[in-house]
Amino acid sequence: MQTGINRLEIKDFNLYYHRTKALEDISMMIPEKKVTAIIGPSGCGKSTLLRSINRMNEMIDGVTVEGQVLLDGEDIYQQDIDVVELRRKVGMVFQRPNPFPKSIFENVAFGVRMGDNVPAKQKLEEVVERSLKEAAIWDEVKDRLHRSAMELSGGQQQRICIARALAVEPEVILMDEPASALDPIATAKIEELIFRLKEKYTIVIVTHNMQQAARVSDFTAFLMLGKLVEFGPTEKMMTNPGSKLTEDYITGRFG
Amino acid sequence: MEQSRHIDRELEQIKEKLLLMAAKAEQIISQAVESLLQRNMTRAEQIMASDKEIDKLEIEIENEAISLIARHQPVAKDLRLLIGIIKINSDIERIGDHGVNIAQCTLKLGQEPPLKPLVDIPRMAQLATAMLKDSLDSFVHEDPEKARRVCASDIQVDQLKDQTLRELMTYMFERPEAISRAMGLILISRNLERIADLSTNISEEVIYISQAKVIKHHQEK
Ligand SMILES: Nc1ncnc2c1ncn2[C@@H]1O[C@H](COP(=O)(O)OP(=O)(O)O)[C@@H](O)[C@H]1O
Ligand SMILES: [Mg+2]
């Protein structure tokens, strides 16, 4: 299969919550500078798989993993990996917009300030502006950068969170149902944004909305009961899926 | 865990309507051929009215298919079926038009004595009618193998059309007073050939719907 460059690869990956296996033998390539959607019935392990890509699962009690996740050829589960640096390279945006109760500026600058070498004020302002522009929200907030991020609408807050993720110059952005709490217009803005972001970033998005997966992604992974049923170009998956299970799921025969 | 789907009922309804329209088109073609071979002018005149019904059904089916796509945003097989229905819909409508053309030529030819006993045209008519019937059967029973056989017959109709053209040209050169009748027969063979082509299109759509393969313009590998 032609998927371009593969910067990110999941290899024979298993994950357990205590004794329960939540992911089983997952192997897939995540192509660089493309959008890969993870779809499947709820509880099938989409969020678990997404969190495995930047070791967010580690924060959960009782999680053990087997197998590898390779980023630029290096296994992120190796002992000597710097997890903070890993999460800088692989950022995450969540389902509910979760800005901090601080100003818009501070929200976006947050990750940069947490880093090793905090840039000078002017440089920091540049980073914030670039990130807000990339997140397509600059024009809406440029006159109120020092007002609280909590005053913004849900859709705007979500774009602030995306700007926060972009500020630390990641390579990969993970998004877990980033538009599921938003209205159709705010959703369309996020989708438009995802479309533009893939010029620079590799994006992995979990969505329960099939049409959203069809609209925004280049590749789709279909998961069921913790197993990868099918992975391939979205266009093929939506017109002629290879597996009967995929067909039944995407055409709404179960789920 | 199979779940009953609202879209299935609507797809069934739209398919039924398409088959109703297809039955009318088949009837038009067989009436047109019959009126031509038996020089039955009353039959030829009846055809125009049936074609009006086809035109009306075509518009209804197209609107229903578009509405279904807009409301359900179908994917996979559902999507292929709807796209297939839209194309078959327009193929059938045009088949009806070709039936009407044949009837009109027949009415004109009826005003003069027969030019010659017809040999290749009845064979073409028989082949084209069978192709139409088989292509529709392959749609109803979702039978891609039958659809492939229809596509394979197309070449025979093409050959008969060329043969008819060559033969009628010689009539025209020898007897100028035969020109208008020969032209009428050439037009009829041309319409029969188009009916065979459109039946081939229908069969190609059936293959696309059931196997997601595009075999148009001999692309199949
Ligand atoms: N923190 C957790 N502790 C124990 N089990 C969990 C935890 N999170 C998820 N699970 C279980 O793992 C499975 C996959 O969950 P999840 O990845 O959230 O699925 P999805 O995102 O596809 O809805 C489910 O059976 C869920 O109950
Ligand atoms: Mg989830």
Side-chain angles (χ1 to χ4, degrees):
Chain A
M1 191 184 316
Q2 261 302 55
T3 55
I5 306 161
N6 293 295
R7 181 179 279 275
L8 191 56
E9 181 177 0
I10 300 169
K11 248 178 150 171
D12 309 319
F13 196 79
N14 293 287
L15 184 144
Y16 304 79
Y17 290 112
H18 298 281
R19 293 249 160 65
T20 320
K21 206 170 205 177
L23 294 176
E24 193 171 337
D25 272 334
I26 309 270
S27 289
M28 63 191 266
M29 304 272 209
I30 297 177
E32 192 182 10
K33 293 188 182 162
K34 298 274 185 257
V35 178
T36 298
I38 302 175
I39 63 169
S42 60
C44 71
K46 301 181 294 295
S47 299
T48 303
L49 180 60
L50 196 72
R51 288 194 300 261
S52 301
I53 302 174
N54 70 351
R55 288 177 57 171
M56 291 289 249
N57 284 320
E58 247 158 54
M59 303 174 177
I60 300 168
D61 205 36
V63 167
T64 47
V65 303
E66 296 161 0
Q68 297 180 313
V69 174
L70 302 169
L71 182 64
D72 299 320
E74 206 180 12
D75 184 9
I76 65 165
Y77 283 93
Q78 278 173 63
Q79 296 263 306
D80 58 351
I81 284 280
D82 175 352
V83 180
V84 175
E85 174 60 9
L86 169 68
R87 298 204 183 118
R88 184 196 66 73
K89 283 198 209 161
V90 186
M92 187 141 180
V93 175
F94 299 86
Q95 179 171 2
R96 301 213 142 267
N98 56 350
F100 311 122
K102 287 172 179 280
S103 73
I104 292 167
F105 186 94
E106 285 307 319
N107 263 278
V108 179
F110 179 80
V112 185
R113 282 204 204 284
M114 297 298 284
D116 289 338
N117 27 33
V118 183
K121 184 165 177 287
Q122 195 201 337
K123 181 81 196 344
L124 196 61
E125 280 170 359
E126 279 168 27
V127 169
V128 169
E129 179 171 341
R130 170 190 62 80
S131 308
L132 288 167
K133 279 181 174 160
E134 276 187 6
I137 187 150
W138 173 251
D139 288 337
E140 289 161 64
V141 299
K142 60 175 188 256
D143 301 322
R144 52 201 277 201
L145 289 179
H146 298 286
R147 305 268 299 267
S148 169
M150 309 310 276
E151 292 170 13
L152 300 171
S153 72
Q156 288 172 325
Q157 287 184 7
Q158 193 62 304
R159 279 177 287 144
I160 293 294
C161 294
I162 293 173
R164 187 172 65 195
L166 296 176
V168 294
E169 301 185 49
E171 294 170 16
V172 181
I173 304 168
L174 310 175
M175 300 185 172
D176 195 349
E177 307 200 15
S180 66
L182 306 180
D183 66 62
I185 291 175
T187 299
K189 281 190 182 154
I190 298 284
E191 288 181 7
E192 203 50 48
L193 176 57
I194 291 171
F195 209 80
R196 277 197 282 117
L197 289 177
K198 75 175 175 186
E199 280 176 22
K200 250 177 101 177
Y201 307 95
T202 300
I203 296 171
V204 187
I205 177 173
V206 164
T207 174
H208 63 259
N209 178 334
M210 205 68 50
Q211 273 73 35
Q212 181 167 68
R215 285 191 298 265
V216 305
S217 71
D218 303 292
F219 293 87
T220 299
F222 172 54
L223 231 58
M224 231 179 102
L225 299 170
K227 289 188 193 159
L228 180 64
V229 176
E230 187 169 348
F231 173 80
T234 302
E235 179 265 325
K236 160 95 170 49
M237 200 91 114
M238 295 297 163
T239 56
N240 183 25
S243 147
K244 171 92 168 52
L245 282 174
T246 315
E247 168 102 30
D248 285 351
Y249 179 68
I250 66 175
T251 57
R253 285 188 170 81
F254 69 79
Chain B
M1 59 178 154
E2 194 97 343
Q3 184 167 299
S4 94
R5 303 183 314 155
H6 183 60
I7 190 177
D8 285 330
R9 286 191 293 280
E10 293 195 39
L11 284 171
E12 256 340 287
Q13 282 169 8
I14 204 167
K15 262 169 100 169
E16 265 168 38
K17 204 173 256 190
L18 188 73
L19 291 175
L20 173 68
M21 172 175 161
K24 287 189 192 297
E26 272 192 276
Q27 202 192 358
I28 285 189
I29 301 306
S30 68
Q31 282 183 357
V33 169
E34 194 187 314
S35 64
L36 167 72
L37 301 184
Q38 300 174 356
R39 297 175 68 82
N40 182 339
M41 301 305 139
T42 342
R43 259 264 183 278
E45 273 160 3
Q46 287 164 353
I47 287 172
M48 317 298 170
S50 311
D51 189 52
K52 291 254 169 355
E53 294 171 42
I54 290 194
D55 290 348
K56 189 168 156 276
L57 281 169
E58 189 214 4
I59 293 170
E60 278 179 36
I61 290 168
E62 185 170 311
N63 286 338
E64 284 167 26
I66 290 171
S67 147
L68 221 150
I69 289 175
R71 287 178 293 112
H72 292 274
Q73 295 159 308
V75 292
K77 180 82 173 279
D78 298 334
L79 177 62
R80 301 202 304 272
L81 176 61
L82 274 164
I83 300 293
I85 285 175
I86 289 174
K87 290 186 171 178
I88 292 174
N89 185 39
S90 96
D91 291 339
I92 294 176
E93 189 273 331
R94 285 164 63 197
I95 286 173
D97 289 346
H98 289 297
V100 170
N101 292 349
I102 293 174
Q104 280 167 344
C105 293
T106 300
L107 287 172
K108 260 208 190 129
L109 287 171
Q111 293 165 1
E112 292 181 69
L115 176 65
K116 65 180 250 349
L118 301 179
V119 183
D120 287 336
I121 286 187
R123 282 164 65 196
M124 279 182 83
Q126 199 189 5
L127 269 171
T129 314
M131 284 171 69
L132 174 58
K133 182 176 179 307
D134 288 348
S135 69
L136 296 170
D137 280 356
S138 75
F139 175 68
V140 174
H141 300 115
E142 214 182 276
D143 182 348
E145 290 320 310
K146 185 170 225 165
R148 282 197 166 77
R149 289 198 292 277
V150 173
C151 299
S153 308
D154 195 37
I155 189 154
Q156 293 178 48
V157 179
D158 286 345
Q159 282 166 354
L160 282 170
K161 188 206 70 177
D162 292 342
Q163 200 166 303
T164 309
L165 182 63
R166 283 196 302 273
E167 188 199 355
L168 289 167
M169 294 287 264
T170 61
Y171 276 89
M172 293 202 281
F173 292 140
E174 285 166 13
R175 298 160 47 192
E177 81 280 4
I179 286 179
S180 79
R181 280 170 291 169
M183 284 295 289
L185 291 172
I186 288 171
L187 274 176
I188 286 171
S189 80
R190 165 98 189 118
N191 278 286
L192 288 169
E193 184 242 346
R194 290 299 297 143
I195 292 167
D197 282 348
L198 290 164
S199 305
T200 304
N201 287 0
I202 293 174
S203 305
E204 288 168 348
E205 293 312 324
V206 171
I207 293 164
Y208 171 70
I209 292 167
S210 66
Q211 302 180 326
K213 284 187 189 150
V214 177
I215 65 158
K216 260 184 209 168
H217 321 302
H218 311 287
Q219 276 188 359
E220 191 169 32
K221 284 177 200 94

